[in-house]
């Protein structure tokens, strides 16, 4: 069946810059290795998204709609539909002394973060450092190869896919997620290991909000609750010795 | 009615060192001010505890049992029933160079933390620093004035009192805590502001575990769950203009 807006899918993609054929992002570990952009600890493989759910560029969502799972899709994205045109005002000259104040030695290619966002040093010339705060893909024509590998049908699997997309915790087992649906309410108990997350409670709340919003907006449920249950442990006879 | 083991109460107390009459801890802001031990941002006033719940020294729990709310109780605690005898092996000589390595200038009275716990510098003599890792109240005879101001009867209030004891968050409103009891399960929804806690999720889990354990052990419920609910917000007409 043709893929529609609102479908939950898993897909592979690889994005290249048209002009240079340079791969800037991919779900494939092999392609990442080949392009020398492998990210340590990143889990490669198909990612779950909602078609039209603002998880990808709109141009990619639009290209997927109407295709079938398994079809190889090619999408060309111009700067307007991608990451915008380059803005010359976002190239700034920063006095060398500002870097020295912070104990930094600026070098060409170095990335820095300031109130203006993240920028890349494009030249160091005597006392002045030129930094480009444009998005690295601004002004570029992009080429994406996309392939939907699966359309997710079951509500439980849809919910798990959004947990996978928005909340990561090392060694979390999604199969240990308990999901109960009762009327307009979804109740989620995550794998107990996630209780030991060292991220702030607030950061976890933001991830939960994103999961909840995708569920409200695309599955019709009005309430999403996250439950941590603490159950009294019965003192166990460690070796079953009382049986003797 | 006389106070029994397992009762949830609120009490005021002030603890003094017998030998010196020095106040080391109190629930009274006035007494703390007078003794010059006022802690910034600490909320003073009666604290909730469970009698026999290991929240206070056992000697104090025992003294409370059988008294009536409102009675002034005086408890003398010797070192064995208090913070133990002083252990001379916990006084250690540390070479000055260990402090220098860490950029510290040791001064008499300064508190330091090491693998041995927290210690207090008792002398600095040339190249050697003498640090006492004994508990500050070890070896002391203590005198406590205690007064139970309230026995908590209602289950909901008991649960709220344990939240108050084990979990603090600035501006949290305990009156916004929703508690539902269903059979052997207690379900707790905290004030929504606590979702923005910047402590780690793990630290919040430990507090929740302590709350749950006190509920299991003293109220007979087997399960305690903490629920964060995210509800779809209906887009509101900001000024009610559609009414016009």
């Amino acid at each position: 069946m043709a893929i529609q807006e609102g479908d939950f899918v898993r897909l592979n993609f690889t994005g290249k810059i048209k002009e240079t054929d340079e791969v800037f992002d991919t779900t494939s570990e092999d392609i990442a290795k080949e392009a020398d952009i492998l990210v340590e600890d990143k889990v490669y493989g198909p990612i779950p998204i909602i078609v039209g759910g603002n998880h990808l560029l709109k141009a990619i969502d639009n290209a997927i709609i109407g295709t079938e799972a398994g079809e190889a899709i090619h999408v060309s994205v111009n700067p307007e539909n991608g990451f915008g045109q380059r803005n010359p005002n976002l190239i700034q000259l920063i006095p060398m002394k500002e870097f020295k104040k912070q104990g930094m030695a600026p070098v060409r290619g170095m990335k820095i973060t300031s109130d203006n966002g993240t920028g890349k040093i494009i030249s160091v010339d005597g006392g002045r450092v030129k930094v480009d705060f444009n998005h690295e893909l601004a002004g570029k024509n992009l080429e994406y190869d996309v392939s939907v590998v699966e359309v997710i049908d079951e509500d439980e699997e849809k919910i798990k896919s959004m947990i996978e997309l928005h909340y990561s915790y090392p060694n979390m087992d999604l199969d240990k997620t308990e999901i109960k649906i009762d009327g307009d309410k979804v109740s989620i108990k995550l794998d107990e290991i996630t209780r030991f997350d060292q991220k702030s409670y607030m950061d976890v709340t933001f991830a939960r909000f994103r999961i909840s919003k995708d569920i409200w907006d695309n599955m019709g449920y009005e309430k999403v609750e996250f439950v941590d249950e603490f159950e009294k442990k019965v003192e166990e006879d460690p070796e079953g010795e009382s049986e003797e």
Side-chain angles (χ1 to χ4, degrees), chain A:
Chain A
M1 219 178 73
I3 292 161
Q4 300 172 26
E5 189 160 349
D7 278 356
F8 287 59
V9 301
R10 278 176 209 279
L11 54 78
N12 281 313
F13 75 86
T14 294
K16 290 182 192 174
I17 295 171
K18 185 178 181 183
E19 290 80 356
T20 60
D21 223 34
E22 188 191 337
V23 173
F24 59 84
D25 196 7
T26 180
T27 54
S28 156
E29 187 160 4
D30 288 345
I31 294 173
K33 263 184 206 155
E34 211 179 301
D36 208 17
I37 58 164
L38 195 77
V39 178
E40 203 71 34
D41 293 331
K42 177 171 161 176
V43 179
Y44 285 89
I47 58 160
I49 63 121
I50 302 170
V51 180
N54 285 319
H55 301 140
L56 299 176
L57 291 176
K58 208 166 181 50
I60 299 177
D61 275 340
N62 289 340
I64 294 169
I65 294 169
T67 65
E68 302 282 336
E71 242 178 80
I73 306 160
H74 188 85
V75 193
S76 297
V77 181
N78 61 21
E80 285 72 28
N81 296 323
F83 295 89
Q85 293 292 0
R86 289 178 58 75
N87 177 353
N89 295 325
L90 292 178
I91 297 175
Q92 300 186 347
L93 280 170
I94 301 179
M96 178 66 93
K97 64 172 195 282
E98 294 297 323
F99 288 88
K100 288 203 170 142
K101 260 190 217 167
Q102 305 194 30
M104 282 169 68
V107 178
R108 189 165 173 273
M110 187 189 262
K111 282 181 185 169
I112 63 165
T113 304
S114 82
D115 295 345
N116 293 320
T118 299
K120 192 172 171 181
I121 295 175
I122 51 177
S123 71
V124 180
D125 180 13
R128 302 196 306 177
V129 180
K130 198 183 269 186
V131 183
D132 185 354
F133 286 99
N134 281 288
H135 190 288
E136 284 205 86
L137 296 174
K140 308 284 187 195
N141 288 294
L142 309 174
E143 302 287 338
Y144 283 90
D145 285 308
V146 183
S147 160
V148 172
V149 297
E150 182 194 356
V151 177
I152 303 168
D153 285 323
E154 298 283 326
D155 273 7
E156 263 201 41
E157 294 306 314
K158 286 182 179 181
I159 292 164
K160 284 186 186 173
S161 77
M162 288 301 105
I163 296 169
E164 186 184 337
L165 180 64
H166 294 300
Y167 178 70
S168 66
Y169 182 70
N171 303 319
M172 173 173 77
D173 184 350
L174 269 175
D175 290 336
K176 288 190 182 157
T177 307
E178 284 176 41
I179 294 169
K180 262 193 280 186
I181 297 175
D182 182 12
D184 67 347
K185 187 162 84 176
V186 173
S187 184
I188 299 172
K189 250 184 231 176
L190 295 171
D191 181 359
E192 290 194 7
I193 200 174
T194 61
R195 297 181 188 180
F196 301 100
D197 198 335
Q198 304 217 17
K199 287 195 286 295
S200 75
Y201 201 93
M202 187 170 75
D203 283 350
V204 174
T205 290
F206 288 149
R208 290 173 168 188
F209 179 80
R210 288 189 287 268
I211 295 165
S212 300
K213 187 173 187 328
D214 277 335
I215 294 173
W216 302 329
D217 289 351
N218 298 286
M219 299 181 67
Y221 302 111
E222 301 278 319
K223 291 175 191 168
V224 179
E225 62 176 31
F226 290 84
V227 178
D228 282 344
E229 187 178 272
F230 296 81
E231 187 166 2
K232 184 171 187 164
K233 293 280 174 294
V234 178
E235 303 282 324
E236 272 173 40
D237 185 7
E239 305 281 336
E241 280 171 2
S242 65
E243 301 277 322
E244 295 181 353

